[in-house]
Amino acid sequence: MYIPRYPTLHPRHLLARRHASISPPFPLGRPRLRFFDSGTTAISHGIRALGLGPGEKILVPSYTCGGMIPPLRRAAMTIDFYEINEDLSLDRQDLERRLPGAKALLFIHYFGFPRTSLILRPFARPMEFVS
C-alpha cells in the first residue's frame, strides 16, 4: 500500500473560502492565494504581478516543459537558461555566472516532488523570496 508523503486534497478544500466552517490545509488558507487553470496562465499572471517587462532577464532551468516559455516570450523578456545537473538539481556555479542583471529566477519542483529552495536564498533579496 502506498501512503503519500503529502496528503491529497478533497474538493471541499478548494471551496473553503466560501464556507467559514471549513479550515483548508496549508497553504490553501493564505489570503492572497490565487488558483489558475494552468501553469502557463499562472506564469503570465506572475510576470504581471512582479512588474516584469520587456527586455528584462529571467533565468529559466535548461530542462523545462515547453509551456513555460510562451508567457515569457509574450512578455518580451530575455530568457537565459541555467544548467541543471543529472539529479535535476540546479548547477550553482552556472547560476552564479548568469545571475548578474537577472530580474527573476524560475525554479521547478520536478515531477511534483518538492525540491529544497533553500539553495536559492543567498541569491534572493529578503523581501522577494517566495518558497
Side-chain angles (χ1 to χ4, degrees):
M1 174 181 207
Y2 173 75
I3 299 173
R5 180 176 179 183
Y6 298 100
T8 57
L9 297 175
H10 188 279
R12 74 172 179 260
H13 291 132
L14 301 176
L15 302 173
R17 290 187 196 172
R18 295 183 187 158
H19 305 286
S21 63
I22 299 173
S23 176
F26 178 83
L28 297 180
R30 297 185 82 171
R32 293 177 34 181
L33 180 72
R34 301 289 181 262
F35 291 98
F36 298 97
D37 62 341
S38 71
T40 303
T41 302
I43 291 170
S44 294
H45 180 81
I47 290 168
R48 287 190 304 275
L50 292 172
L52 299 173
E56 293 185 307
K57 179 177 166 182
I58 184 167
L59 300 176
V60 178
S62 57
Y63 181 65
T64 185
C65 68
M68 297 177 81
I69 304 304
L72 305 175
R73 294 223 188 273
R74 280 193 297 274
M77 297 189 74
T78 300
I79 302 168
D80 190 1
F81 292 97
Y82 62 89
E83 293 298 318
I84 297 295
N85 297 315
E86 288 183 14
D87 66 352
L88 300 177
S89 63
L90 57 85
D91 181 326
R92 188 180 181 107
Q93 288 180 332
D94 186 59
L95 184 61
E96 287 175 352
R97 185 175 62 79
R98 296 173 187 278
L99 197 60
K103 296 291 185 179
L105 183 143
L106 202 138
F107 178 74
I108 298 175
H109 296 286
Y110 289 101
F111 306 108
F113 295 103
R115 307 284 299 187
T116 180
S117 52
L118 295 177
I119 193 171
L120 299 175
R121 280 205 190 270
F123 301 110
R125 288 180 230 150
M127 297 299 289
E128 296 177 3
F129 187 79
V130 180
S131 178

